[in-house]
Amino acid sequence: MSATVSMRDALYEAPGPKTRKRVLVGTAISLVLLALGIAFVIRQFYINDQLNPKYWSFFGRWTTWRFLLKGLWGTIKVAATAGVIAMALGLLLMLGRISPNKLLSSACHVITEIFRSLPSLLLIYFFFLVIPKYGIRMPSFWMITIPVSLAASGVLAEVFRAGVNAVPKGQVEAAMSLGMTHGKITRKIVLPQALKIVIPSLVSQLVVVVKDTTVAYVVSYPDLMQNARVLISNYDALVSMYFVVAIIYIAINYATNQFSVYLAHRMGTQVVSRMDENPV
Amino acid sequence: MGVSEVFAEFGDVYLQSLLSTWLMTAVCFAGGLALGILATVLRVSPIKPLRVAGDIYVQLFRNIPTVSLLVIFVYALPYLGLMLSYRTCLLACVILVVSSFASENFMSGINAIGAGQIEAARSIGLSFVQIIRLIVIPQSLRTTVLPMTNLLIATLLTTAMGSQVPLTPPELTGMVNYVNSRSVAGISAFVLSAICYAGTSVVIGFLGNKLDEKVRIVR
């Protein structure tokens, strides 16, 4: 067996005739069970009258999709803006953290940890419920975008730091021996390489940002989920709409994830997610 | 109102909500791990349809926003003949989402072992069950300590979705809403909840790091 064999297959020996027969029987049984499961779900839809065309036919109308696409555009606007802010803020937090200034470094460390350990919903409630009490009014777009970007910036700071750590120490030492300053080393040697390494991870973080934007209805911002809720009350078709919206979100996030895996594969790096970092 | 005044007035509810958040986190993490193990078994089984089903399961629940899943459980399932309490809906959603990430962690733990070890094990005559029990499971568990610690923290943060449905007692994020609708607490309620979340994460992270140092495999 070569090194390219996946662990999934390496676990089993090449099957003999008996095993092959058993696998075949297992395949048949599992296919039947899966088909039964799917049939059960469809039956539940059917006996509860959820397959009635009146719940699905409006998906054939352009106005439905135009309204959903308008919501999707809202989602994209929030996610893109939040992504850019989070990247800038995450980069600043990381640069502060690796700076030789002890005070700045620990301050940035603490801020990073706080943003990473708070649910984005709590931050949204802060901007939605708490800030207006102090007389500050902001449009709903920013009430969703700022908290989402704050939550993401903590994670991105750690992603950037993983990128910086991946740059070989010898290069920094060599630069120091040439008499370059910390700032110059960071700017000319470390950052260009670190940023390239983390590109796939940044793309995969977009998934988290998109997921966080789905609670935009809390601040009544018209994103995909919020517009779907409007359509639900218009057409009185709750089940079909919530399932279609879920599928749209899954498709977007799946595509984003696959794109990040593709980038990582092409660049020969790994995707760093929240799961791979140091917990605290 | 200052933090101390809020605490004096809502201290009891806060304590209940902290305990309820912890309990939900523990239940969801345990349930997520169990379901994640099941999904992983399917994904490495030699039976093709089960592998595909396991892969699809993980991709679905890894990519669906938790709110989207929660509204399906709370509002859509009753139309399909399944009525669950708000808390059950929340727990089920978080467990499904956590299980998909747990399975991904297990899979990368298994993939980190390397086919060479399995071949070596087979060449010294270990049976399939022995290989799984003596080589695959111990090593993949040890490599997944850190990712699972992060998953536990992520589970804690995901239970914040409980603020989107009525729960008694409310969990920590819902508390901000609860306190603010009963008094002019301003920032204090937020600060208290934030301290609870950050404190819990720090403790989980610290313990996870300690455990990881003990069991990590240096490759």
Side-chain angles (χ1 to χ4, degrees):
Chain A
M1 265 185 252
S2 66
T4 54
V5 171
S6 79
M7 270 302 291
R8 277 180 176 198
D9 295 307
L11 288 174
Y12 310 101
E13 289 176 79
K18 247 190 209 164
T19 318
R20 262 203 297 264
K21 204 175 276 172
R22 247 185 282 161
V23 168
L24 212 62
V25 172
T27 305
I29 294 176
S30 61
L31 273 178
V32 170
L33 286 179
L34 289 173
L36 279 178
I38 294 169
F40 174 75
V41 172
I42 295 175
R43 182 178 167 272
Q44 281 310 101
F45 270 84
Y46 181 74
I47 61 172
N48 290 295
D49 197 36
Q50 286 300 329
L51 290 182
N52 192 321
K54 75 172 179 194
Y55 293 129
W56 297 91
S57 58
F58 60 87
F59 283 113
R61 274 183 242 155
W62 168 237
T63 44
T64 308
W65 286 105
R66 200 174 58 192
F67 194 61
L68 281 181
L69 284 177
K70 229 169 108 188
L72 185 60
W73 176 236
T75 298
I76 291 172
K77 269 196 295 190
V78 172
T81 316
V84 170
I85 296 177
M87 252 199 276
L89 203 55
L91 191 61
L92 284 180
L93 282 174
M94 184 278 287
L95 287 176
R97 191 164 170 194
I98 64 168
S99 94
N101 183 338
K102 281 275 175 334
L103 194 70
L104 180 67
S105 165
S106 35
C108 287
H109 186 179
V110 170
I111 296 174
T112 307
E113 293 308 337
I114 289 178
F115 284 156
R116 275 178 70 205
S117 63
L118 295 186
S120 54
L121 249 175
L122 186 69
L123 293 169
I124 290 169
Y125 274 132
F126 177 75
F127 280 84
F128 178 57
L129 292 174
V130 178
I131 287 212
K133 295 232 158 132
Y134 294 93
I136 301 166
R137 295 247 155 262
M138 53 168 81
S140 62
F141 175 80
W142 293 108
M143 281 201 283
I144 179 76
T145 305
I146 297 177
V148 168
S149 32
L150 290 184
S153 70
V155 180
L156 284 186
E158 288 295 286
V159 168
F160 281 125
R161 208 163 60 95
V164 166
N165 287 341
V167 176
K169 289 277 167 293
Q171 295 194 16
V172 177
E173 285 160 14
M176 278 159 98
S177 71
L178 287 176
M180 289 169 83
T181 59
H182 171 81
K184 209 166 182 188
I185 296 173
T186 309
R187 221 172 39 244
K188 301 235 157 165
I189 308 218
V190 178
L191 272 192
Q193 299 182 72
L195 292 185
K196 201 175 158 227
I197 293 171
V198 298
I199 288 173
S201 315
L202 296 181
V203 172
S204 85
Q205 270 303 313
L206 266 179
V207 171
V208 180
V209 172
V210 168
K211 283 183 181 173
D212 280 352
T213 63
T214 48
V215 287
Y217 64 80
V218 170
V219 300
S220 333
Y221 177 78
D223 75 330
L224 179 58
M225 184 63 97
Q226 168 71 8
N227 278 11
R229 287 158 78 106
V230 173
L231 285 180
I232 284 172
S233 48
N234 280 356
Y235 291 123
D236 194 25
L238 185 144
V239 178
S240 52
M241 187 52 86
Y242 273 148
F243 272 93
V244 167
V245 167
I247 289 169
I248 297 177
Y249 276 119
I250 292 172
I252 295 173
N253 291 339
Y254 179 75
T256 313
N257 266 328
Q258 291 304 106
F259 182 55
S260 110
V261 170
Y262 163 78
L263 282 179
H265 185 75
R266 225 182 74 162
M267 297 165 57
T269 59
Q270 278 184 329
V271 180
V272 184
S273 78
R274 161 166 213 130
M275 298 296 161
D276 313 308
E277 299 157 11
N278 243 19
V280 168
Chain B
M1 270 172 107
V3 171
S4 56
E5 289 163 69
V6 170
F7 196 75
E9 198 175 335
F10 297 100
D12 291 347
V13 196
Y14 250 107
L15 192 64
Q16 280 177 33
S17 106
L18 176 63
L19 290 179
S20 138
T21 303
W22 280 350
L23 185 67
M24 286 196 293
T25 307
V27 169
C28 293
F29 189 62
L33 281 191
L35 214 53
I37 290 173
L38 191 69
T40 313
V41 169
L42 292 185
R43 292 172 81 190
V44 298
S45 79
I47 297 166
K48 191 80 193 285
L50 293 185
R51 277 191 188 189
V52 174
D55 284 346
I56 292 177
Y57 170 88
V58 168
Q59 289 303 340
L60 280 186
F61 292 111
R62 204 171 85 116
N63 288 315
I64 195 170
T66 318
V67 189
S68 196
L69 190 59
L70 189 62
V71 291
I72 287 180
F73 264 78
V74 174
Y75 301 113
L77 286 194
Y79 282 99
L80 297 172
L82 185 62
M83 189 86 157
L84 300 168
S85 75
Y86 285 127
R87 197 172 288 273
T88 316
C89 287
L90 176 67
L91 292 178
C93 290
V94 180
I95 285 176
L96 286 173
V97 171
V98 168
S99 72
S100 69
F101 285 97
S103 175
E104 288 291 75
N105 288 348
F106 282 129
M107 283 303 272
S108 54
I110 292 174
N111 282 327
I113 294 172
Q117 288 201 33
I118 309 298
E119 288 164 15
R122 201 171 290 138
S123 70
I124 58 169
L126 293 188
S127 72
F128 177 67
V129 177
Q130 277 176 318
I131 293 177
I132 296 290
R133 198 165 51 88
L134 299 173
I135 296 177
V136 176
I137 290 180
Q139 291 196 68
S140 57
L141 282 187
R142 284 168 68 178
T143 22
T144 49
V145 169
L146 222 46
M148 287 304 179
T149 308
N150 282 315
L151 184 60
L152 180 53
I153 296 177
T155 310
L156 170 74
L157 302 190
T158 313
T159 60
M161 281 303 152
S163 60
Q164 301 307 301
V165 291
L167 289 181
T168 354
E171 44 62 67
L172 285 172
T173 300
M175 273 306 280
V176 178
N177 206 355
Y178 181 89
V179 172
N180 266 293
S181 61
R182 279 164 184 76
S183 68
V184 204
I187 200 169
S188 310
F190 167 79
V191 170
L192 268 177
S193 291
I195 290 173
C196 291
Y197 277 117
T200 311
S201 302
V202 167
V203 172
I204 295 173
F206 178 77
L207 295 177
N209 262 337
K210 280 268 166 274
L211 183 63
D212 178 62
E213 273 168 30
K214 266 216 173 97
V215 302
R216 167 177 289 179
I217 304 164
V218 184
R219 284 202 172 88

